[in-house]
Amino acid sequence: MAKQQGPLTGTQTLTIGKALNLGLRRALEDDPKVLLMGEDVGRLGGVFRITDGLQKDFGEDRVLDSPLAEAGIVGTAIGLAMRGYRPVCEMQFDGFSYPAFDQVTNQLAKMHYRSRGRITLPVVIRIPFGGGIGSVEHHSESPETYYMHTAGLKVVTPSTAVDAYFMIQQAIRSNDPVIFLEPKARYYEKGEVDLDAPVTAAEPLHRSRVVRAGTDATVVGYGPTMRVLRDSADAAAEDGRSLELVDLRTLSPLDLDPVYESVKRTGRLVVVHEAPTNLGPAAEVAARVQSECFYSLEAPVQRVTGFDTPYPASKLEEHFLPDLDRVLDAVDRTFSY
């Protein structure tokens, strides 16, 4: 098996994109049944270069350039998984995943249940998602709600380089189909990653996490919105207000125990995502929090989201996406009761 030249070891400062690349490389090295598939993932290394260099080192039989046919990519992956492989599919952009929706929701998600547990489908579908790159519809969608709503799928999204490196390996090791949502506007954010740490020592895949302690209000987000949350917490601190931040990391299943514990202390909750408001992830989080923490809440749960419109032209996206002012305004509203 070919190896990369001059392999990185120890603790390195990596972008999220590079961390994903190295996580995929590690998975290919660890398990010969792991395959990468997608449009231009081979020689080109993918639109965002997440698979850069992997076909050169692991060959065309393990890093496969596919036709421009998303349903065919996922259908082929399902067949390979039934034969014992662990395919990792790349959808070039979020909106391009919709042609494969039938294969994902009617076959991939249901096969384990349909076979009464006799068949497992360890397929990972990587989807760069969210806005903020100056692009248009089909290239800036937030499709997480569709996949969260589909029983039989797991849905996760990293927001840091260390999570990107370990979560992609954990998703590939999972025997369940995993929708792996990558915040493409954050691909170039950097963080320290211990490349020698075993994946088994990493935070569990389906676990949310408090990333900043606070006392006055709880703010929950995931993936692309976590930078806005951190900026909002810094700005609020300058005004003497302490925000506790929770990174959900896993959207299906949701792990809301850290959110419940936080809200029972702060009494206030704001949920932030780029997906539209109507029936979005924030609606489910709000319903569960109001059920579990009703007597602790000092104010109604507030939502800061994308709007219930198609994704706008790129010159308008800064008005569409949640930003610092909208998050802080929502926090202020929780103190008006």
Side-chain angles (χ1 to χ4, degrees):
M1 178 182 301
K3 301 288 185 182
Q4 71 178 122
Q5 294 180 348
L8 293 173
T9 60
T11 299
Q12 301 284 338
T13 299
L14 304 173
T15 64
I16 288 176
K18 184 63 177 178
L20 287 168
N21 176 274
L22 292 176
L24 290 168
R25 177 178 292 277
R26 179 62 59 85
L28 286 162
E29 290 173 344
D30 290 347
D31 186 348
K33 293 294 187 181
V34 174
L35 307 175
L36 309 188
M37 308 167 57
E39 298 159 1
D40 294 327
V41 301
R43 181 178 298 181
L44 181 67
V47 171
F48 296 100
R49 306 297 187 269
I50 302 304
T51 55
D52 186 41
L54 299 181
Q55 188 183 68
K56 176 176 68 68
D57 291 343
F58 294 93
E60 296 181 357
D61 291 338
R62 297 193 64 196
V63 183
L64 292 81
D65 277 319
S66 73
L68 302 179
E70 288 79 7
I73 295 170
V74 176
T76 303
I78 291 170
L80 286 166
M82 293 175 72
R83 299 296 295 175
Y85 290 92
R86 291 183 175 273
V88 182
C89 306
E90 177 180 298
M91 300 287 114
Q92 279 193 339
F93 286 92
D94 29 52
F96 297 4
S97 68
Y98 299 147
F101 199 69
D102 174 63
Q103 286 291 329
V104 173
T105 56
N106 278 330
Q107 309 300 334
L108 182 63
K110 291 182 170 66
M111 195 71 75
H112 183 68
Y113 293 83
R114 186 184 298 151
S115 67
R116 298 182 180 180
R118 289 192 291 271
I119 295 175
T120 58
L121 293 180
V123 176
V124 175
I125 300 179
R126 296 178 40 243
I127 304 176
F129 84 124
I133 63 168
S135 194
V136 294
E137 60 178 13
H138 305 145
H139 298 73
S140 301
E141 313 280 336
S142 296
E144 56 265 41
T145 304
Y146 300 129
Y147 298 114
M148 291 173 65
H149 190 68
T150 302
L153 299 177
K154 301 293 176 61
V155 184
V156 301
T157 177
S159 68
T160 65
V162 66
D163 272 353
Y165 178 70
F166 288 110
M167 287 175 71
I168 188 63
Q169 296 180 69
Q170 293 169 318
I172 293 169
R173 291 185 178 202
S174 172
N175 285 328
D176 297 313
V178 177
I179 304 297
F180 195 89
L181 298 171
E182 300 171 2
K184 58 177 173 290
R186 309 287 181 251
Y187 273 145
Y188 296 102
E189 289 187 5
K190 294 181 179 179
E192 289 193 345
V193 181
D194 182 359
L195 298 174
D196 295 334
V199 66
T200 52
E203 187 94 26
L205 182 60
H206 298 296
R207 184 78 56 80
S208 61
R209 181 171 60 212
V210 174
V211 296
R212 177 168 174 153
T215 56
D216 295 332
T218 305
V219 185
V220 172
Y222 55 84
T225 62
M226 290 310 299
R227 187 170 71 184
V228 173
L229 266 59
R230 291 194 294 271
D231 292 343
S232 300
D234 290 340
E238 293 177 1
D239 293 332
R241 187 167 282 170
S242 172
L243 304 184
E244 181 149 298
L245 307 184
V246 180
D247 182 354
L248 288 179
R249 299 175 77 246
T250 173
L251 301 179
S252 181
L254 281 168
D255 173 30
L256 294 184
D257 285 345
V259 180
Y260 299 151
E261 194 279 329
S262 179
V263 170
K264 287 175 181 176
R265 286 187 288 102
T266 67
R268 297 172 175 84
L269 174 62
V270 175
V271 188
V272 184
H273 56 65
E274 293 185 8
T277 305
N278 189 43
L279 300 176
E284 183 62 28
V285 173
R288 296 193 194 187
V289 166
Q290 289 178 135
S291 176
E292 293 291 329
C293 310
F294 182 77
Y295 292 105
S296 300
L297 285 169
E298 300 287 346
V301 177
Q302 300 295 315
R303 292 178 285 174
V304 181
T305 70
F307 297 107
D308 292 325
T309 67
Y311 199 82
S314 58
K315 64 182 180 182
L316 296 175
E317 70 176 350
E318 66 180 81
H319 303 291
F320 180 90
L321 297 171
D323 62 13
L324 183 148
D325 289 338
R326 288 175 63 194
V327 172
L328 292 181
D329 180 66
V331 171
D332 287 344
R333 288 201 300 275
T334 68
F335 283 87
S336 65
Y337 291 85

